[in-house]
Amino acid sequence: ELFEPNDKITREEFVKICVKILDLDSSDESVVFSDEIPGEWYCGYLKAAYDSKIVAGKGDGTFGVGEPVSRQDMAVILYNIIKEKAVIKENSTEDFDDADSISAYAKDAVSCLSELGIINGTGDNLFSPLDTATRAEAAKMAFGILEYVK
């Protein structure tokens, strides 16, 4: 199995990294989202993340299996993991020139993780919320939360 650091990372692959970091029990492979295929490798990870309130899926009952994870959605997932443990300052995403393009549901997450130095912009003072990350970037962001979860 290859890491392929420059490949895009899917939503379920990112969730797997987070579940592993948290050492959550992923043995229950019950399907939570309507776009999951029962028995697929990701089912236990999505169930564990859903039960732990790390992910909620999309408003239509799907998770977005197979889709690349956006930078703002990675921020939301990581924020959901650490928000109980991190000291969160009231901050603003206005530090980024493209703050208006960060979805409302992700603003607190981007703000907090940026303040903590877990995530940063993509250069030129942009966050690029809808861009996807490489597997290497996603792993770096996920491991940035380790001090808050151990």
Side-chain angles (χ1 to χ4, degrees):
E1 210 174 307
L2 299 173
F3 180 57
E4 302 294 350
N6 296 316
D7 282 3
K8 299 290 184 215
I9 187 165
T10 65
R11 292 170 57 83
E12 65 274 18
E13 288 169 338
F14 187 67
V15 166
K16 178 182 177 180
I17 291 171
C18 294
V19 167
K20 290 284 197 182
I21 286 173
L22 293 171
D23 199 25
L24 298 177
D25 179 3
S26 59
S27 61
D28 181 353
E29 296 186 2
S30 303
V31 169
V32 178
F33 302 103
S34 61
D35 57 342
E36 287 183 74
I37 299 170
E40 283 295 317
W41 66 267
Y42 53 75
C43 292
Y45 298 109
L46 295 186
K47 173 78 166 124
Y50 179 81
D51 287 349
S52 298
K53 297 182 175 33
I54 296 168
V55 297
K58 298 182 175 192
D60 63 0
T62 65
F63 178 73
V65 171
E67 296 174 15
V69 65
S70 69
R71 290 173 49 81
Q72 69 180 4
D73 284 353
M74 282 194 298
V76 169
I77 292 167
L78 295 175
Y79 178 65
N80 287 342
I81 292 170
I82 68 165
K83 66 183 174 186
E84 306 294 323
K85 298 174 179 144
V87 176
I88 299 166
K89 298 177 184 172
E90 286 300 318
N91 192 17
S92 167
T93 55
E94 301 306 317
D95 296 345
F96 294 112
D97 291 341
D98 60 352
D100 288 347
S101 63
I102 300 171
S103 298
Y105 73 86
K107 284 189 183 291
D108 286 348
V110 171
S111 180
C112 171
L113 295 178
S114 174
E115 178 77 20
L116 295 173
I118 293 170
I119 60 172
N120 46 39
T122 57
D124 296 329
N125 204 40
L126 300 175
F127 179 68
S128 307
L130 300 178
D131 285 3
T132 54
T134 64
R135 294 169 64 93
E137 290 166 336
K140 181 184 178 293
M141 285 184 222
F143 283 98
I145 67 166
L146 276 176
E147 66 184 283
Y148 299 98
V149 299
K150 295 297 179 197

